[in-house]
Each structure stands twice: as C-alpha cells, then as structure tokens.
Amino acid sequence: LDLPSARCAPGRARPPLLHALGAGMLAVIVKLALALPFLARYGWDRDELYFLQASRHLSLGYVDFPFVTALVGRVTIDLAGPSLVALRLTGVAAGMAAAVLVALCARELAGGVAAQLLAALAFVLTPYGLGIGAIFHPTMFDLLVWVAFCYLALRILLRPEPRLWPLLGLVAGVGLETKGTVVALLGVFALGLLVVGPRQVLRERRVWTAAAIACACALPYAGWEVAHGWPSLTFLPTKDAATAASTSHASYLVQQAAFLGGALVLAALGVAELWREPRLRSLALLAPTTSLLFFIEQGRSYYSLPATALPLAAGAVAAVRWWHRSRRRAWVVGGLVAVDLAALIVAAPLVWPVLPTAAMVKLGIWQPSFYKDEIGWQALVAQTARAWRAMPRAERRDGAVLAENYGEAGALALYGPALGLPAPLSGHLSFQYWHPQHMPQRHLLVVGYSANSLSGICRDVRVVARIDNRWRIANEEQGRTIVTCALRRPLGQLWSTRIASDRL
C-alpha cells in the first residue's frame, strides 16, 4: 500500500481484480443498508409520476429527456408493477455499480485494498452518495454513465488499452440517450485531449469508430425530435431559466461543497495527483471544468458531481500512501472525517429520507429539501375525485379531467382510477401526446390552472376547491385551484394551440 506515487508506472502490476471487486461490494452493502429502510418513506416525487407515465407510453424520445429512463421504467413495471420501491431500486443499483467502478479506478491507479475501499466508501458516504437512488430519475443513470466513461478512459490512457475505444463510444452513446448533461463530459474530454494530450491517441483509428458509435446511438432521439418539430429547443431555454432562477452562483458553490462534504478535499487531492501524470491530464480536467461550465450556466449543482468519482479514487490512493509516510496523518485524517460527519449530519435529512414526515414538518426543513414535492398527491387526487362526482352527470359524460402540469397528471393517472376518475389529460411536455385521437369534450374539471388563465378557452369558470395537503407544506401544488370549465369550442380544437406546451 505504500506507493511511491499515485501514478501507475507502465510496468507496475495492478492489485488483483478480486480485491477491488470485494472492496466495491463492501461499499455496495453499506449503500444498500442505508437506502433500503427509507426507500419509499414520503411517496412519489412529481418527476417520478411523470417518468412512470412515460414508461407506459414508451417512445424513442420525449420533450425533455431521451428514452433510456423510460425504457428502464418499462422493464421494471413489467416485472414488478408500478412499484415505487422497485423503480427507485434501479437508481440504487446504478449507484452501487458506480461504487464498484470507483474501486476499480483506484485499482487502475495501483491502489491497494485500503485505497480501493476508501475510494468506494468516500463515494457512497458523501451526502451526494446518500441521495443516490432516492428518486427514480435520469440523473441516477447519467451518474453511472459518467463513472463508467471515466473508468474506461482511464484504462485507455493509462495502460494504454486502445481496444476499449469502441466500448467508450458505446457508453457515450448510451449517455446521449440518457441525459443531455453528458455532452459537457464528452466535450471537456475531447477538448482536454486536444489541449493537454495525449494528442497522439487522436490518430488512433478506433477513436473515430467510438465517435461514430456514439453518434449512431443518438440517432433515435434525434429522429424523434425531427418528427415532432424539435420540441426540446423550446423546452431547454425555459428549463435553463427556471434552474438559473433557483440556483444562484453562491448557492451552487455551497451546494457542491455540501454534497461532497469532507470528500471534497480528497477529490481536490485526486485532481492534483491525476495532473501529475501527463497521460491523465485530460481526465484531471473533467471534474473542475464540467463544474465550471455548469457554474457559468447556473445549472444544478449536482450535474457535474459524477465526474468527481475518478478524482476520489486518485485521492484515496494518494491519501493511503501519505498515511503510511506522514507523522501528522491522524490530525489531517481526523479533520477530514469530522468535516464529512458534520456535512452528513447537516445535509442528510435534505438528501436522505431518514426523518419521519412529522419530524420534517416540526423542524421546518421541507423547503430546502428535495422531498417537498413527494407530499400531498393522494390528497390532491381525492379532492379532484370529490369535485368530479359533484359535477352534473351530463357534464361528466361530456367531460374530461385536465391537469396543468405533469406531476398533477401523473398523480391522477396513478391514483385516479381507484376513485372513479377518467384518465387525465394534460398538455404539459410529453403528456401533450398522450391523449385520445378524438377529443370532443365541452366540459372540463381543471386541476392546477388559475381561473384567470382559463378565460380565453372557457365561457364559464367556477372554482370548486383549493388543493391542500394536510401538512400545509408549501410545495408547488399547495393552494392551487380545481375549477369547472365550460369550453368555448371542443377540446380537440383547442389542444394544439391553447393547451399543448413544450415549456417547463
């Protein structure tokens, strides 16, 4: 374990593969033990309700995301039904696979079992790692793509192992069909090879094979976009504006530091260690540069965090080497552990559903948490069902339930049938495509819209309820209205111009 450098010398033997797999599996066991007891504590998140319906309407693309997440969801619900636990377990599994890859990265850098275990545990025990799998979301599968890409790139550049270029291209292609943020990783890697090298790898024929494979993988989504008039070009600016409004530059930096806790120091050490090896400088740039890009763009603070997996591995190798050499190791290591524990204590309830709902309400920490949008969906559907039953029978025969956003529509689709509600309609994002061919309805029960916003399509609007969750949590739905509406024209004639929307 007492390595002369974090750099792996060309002839240096790597530790046994089984040791790295064992270290990774120990981290997997820790992750499972922490995740399973709390996997479905609060309920469905609004995004999960949307992805569940996307999985039921399988397509080559969607307005706001490629198809891999929906494909994973479809396989899951075919096997286990619409189970929240089963869907979230797919994200947990992605995080566990990533933890094993982090241990394998440490092995590639000639780290022994101690370094491999430190790297994998540092990955899963950060606040960010605790949150992996807490929601069924493209971010979880994007995470695995980034870590797998870094691991393969490390092998290609360090061993070197050019035969892996086509596999790297396939991973990049899967990433392009998973989440658009992977473009930042690919762009920074390509630019890094050009600027800091090793440039000679770009003369390798298999590099271009990898690029062709990645582009071929992206064709299905591109074809869907063309067929639907490139709706993502309308969606992305509204998404970026909403993200920028909720993520200032200062909060971005604070959140990144909070997500990583004491492991931030380990990752910084790893970036320096990777830079010391000329063959790996393009990889050393991945984490800081992608973080800078999303900082400038005011993206979400967690977008670039998967890129810290490789620096964590390199930092773990260096830290173990230093542990055996430094007389002051206890102070520094103890300080890192203290910082990490402090970050976990502060951030855990925000990213890990460890507290009961009543405790979250009492402590008043719903608003900064990621969980406020998991509260109140069944109450919303129950209120909608009561309003629907109160409508005259003739209006119900000639009516439909219209939801303003995908969360409301997803909740109504999941819980509504048991309460006698018809299949909901919504014009929001990909929900705009999931409707009957003919929509002759003249009466609507509308959920989430304000009465004023309906004046252009309704000749008679009446507020019948206000959405309320029993905890009075101020999430996106709290206080919105449920109204009845007599349409000026049949619903089908209004759909494409007044209801369907590609905007967030």
Side-chain angles (χ1 to χ4, degrees), residues 472-490:
R472 303 293 192 271
I473 293 168
N475 57 20
E476 190 171 328
E477 309 309 319
Q478 181 72 1
R480 289 191 174 205
T481 56
I482 299 174
V483 306
T484 57
C485 161
L487 290 170
R488 299 181 184 276
R489 290 186 288 160

Side-chain angles (χ1 to χ4, degrees), residues 219-235:
L219 287 177
Y221 187 36
W224 183 90
E225 288 278 1
V226 170
H228 291 80
W230 292 97
S232 292
L233 296 183
T234 301
F235 166 77

Side-chain angles (χ1 to χ4, degrees), residues 46 49-50 53 377 380-381 384-385 388 399-416 421-436 439 443-450 453-454 457-458 467 476-477 480-485 487 491 495 498-501 503-504:
R46 66 167 54 256
L49 292 166
Y50 178 38
Q53 297 310 310
W377 295 115
L380 178 150
V381 176
T384 305
W388 177 256
V401 176
L402 178 70
E404 191 271 343
N405 65 52
Y406 62 65
E408 298 156 350
L412 291 165
L414 179 63
Y415 297 118
L421 287 171
L425 301 174
S426 178
H428 195 209
L429 302 183
S430 293
F431 259 100
Q432 66 183 281
Y433 305 118
W434 307 333
H435 59 76
M439 293 183 287
H443 293 88
L444 295 177
L445 181 66
V446 184
V447 179
Y449 286 88
S450 68
S453 68
L454 296 170
I457 63 172
C458 300
I467 298 169
E476 190 171 328
E477 309 309 319
R480 289 191 174 205
T481 56
I482 299 174
V483 306
T484 57
C485 161
L487 290 170
L491 179 59
W495 191 263
R498 303 301 299 272
I499 297 174
S501 174
R503 299 174 62 87
L504 182 62

Side-chain angles (χ1 to χ4, degrees), residues 24-384:
M25 289 307 299
L26 283 175
V28 163
I29 292 170
V30 171
K31 174 61 182 173
L32 272 178
L34 294 173
L36 287 180
F38 313 107
L39 208 54
R41 164 150 277 175
Y42 307 129
W44 292 82
D45 181 87
R46 66 167 54 256
D47 288 350
E48 291 175 311
L49 292 166
Y50 178 38
F51 296 134
L52 174 64
Q53 297 310 310
S55 301
R56 288 171 163 166
H57 297 83
L58 205 57
S59 173
L60 292 178
Y62 302 87
V63 171
D64 48 331
F65 63 100
F67 68 80
V68 163
T69 302
L71 180 62
V72 172
R74 181 57 173 269
V75 172
T76 303
I77 61 177
D78 283 350
L79 293 175
S83 165
L84 179 58
V85 170
L87 286 168
R88 288 183 176 174
L89 275 174
T90 62
V92 173
M96 293 189 304
V100 174
L101 288 172
V102 171
L104 290 173
C105 285
R107 172 181 180 261
E108 290 300 315
L109 294 165
V113 173
Q116 296 160 11
L117 185 58
L118 175 60
L121 287 177
F123 178 76
V124 301
L125 289 179
T126 58
Y128 173 66
L130 283 178
I132 295 172
I135 181 175
F136 174 68
H137 197 274
T139 301
M140 304 304 156
F141 311 113
D142 183 57
L143 157 75
L144 179 56
V145 166
W146 282 51
V147 178
F149 185 93
C150 290
Y151 170 65
L152 290 172
L154 177 63
R155 287 184 55 168
I156 288 170
L157 298 180
L158 186 61
R159 292 199 181 194
E161 202 168 14
R163 66 186 179 86
L164 290 180
W165 276 109
L167 183 57
L168 188 74
L170 180 61
V171 169
V174 172
L176 292 170
E177 292 288 8
T178 301
K179 200 172 190 296
T181 50
V182 77
V183 172
L185 177 72
L186 304 180
V188 170
F189 179 62
L191 185 62
L193 289 176
L194 284 170
V195 175
V196 298
R199 295 187 188 90
Q200 62 268 23
V201 303
L202 297 175
R203 294 194 291 270
E204 166 66 48
R205 175 177 52 84
R206 281 170 285 199
V207 172
W208 307 107
T209 301
I213 291 172
C215 291
C217 289
L219 287 177
Y221 187 36
W224 183 90
E225 288 278 1
V226 170
H228 291 80
W230 292 97
S232 292
L233 296 183
T234 301
F235 166 77
L236 286 174
T238 64
K239 168 71 162 57
D240 290 343
T243 302
S246 62
T247 309
S248 66
H249 288 312
S251 64
Y252 179 95
L253 295 175
V254 170
Q255 288 173 15
Q256 280 218 326
F259 271 129
L260 290 174
L264 178 61
V265 178
L266 199 63
L269 174 62
V271 169
E273 290 294 314
L274 290 169
W275 185 260
R276 290 176 59 197
E277 170 54 65
R279 292 171 296 175
L280 302 183
R281 286 180 177 172
S282 58
L283 299 182
L285 292 175
L286 291 182
T289 308
T290 54
S291 178
L292 177 62
L293 288 176
F294 290 120
F295 172 81
I296 294 170
E297 187 200 11
Q298 287 187 271
R300 297 295 184 197
S301 58
Y302 53 81
Y303 283 172
S304 65
L305 290 180
T308 61
L310 180 55
L312 281 177
V317 173
V320 169
R321 181 190 75 242
W322 178 85
W323 169 272
H324 287 280
R325 289 185 173 183
S326 174
R327 297 177 181 177
R328 295 175 293 178
R329 58 186 180 270
W331 288 103
V332 176
V333 173
L336 286 177
V337 171
V339 170
D340 205 39
L341 288 176
L344 285 175
I345 292 170
V346 172
L350 306 180
V351 297
W352 182 34
V354 66
L355 293 179
T357 302
M360 293 283 280
V361 172
K362 183 178 180 179
L363 294 171
I365 57 177
W366 278 111
Q367 284 310 113
S369 79
F370 287 85
Y371 299 114
K372 61 182 178 293
D373 287 325
E374 296 182 5
I375 299 298
W377 295 115
Q378 288 175 292
L380 178 150
V381 176
Q383 287 183 274
T384 305

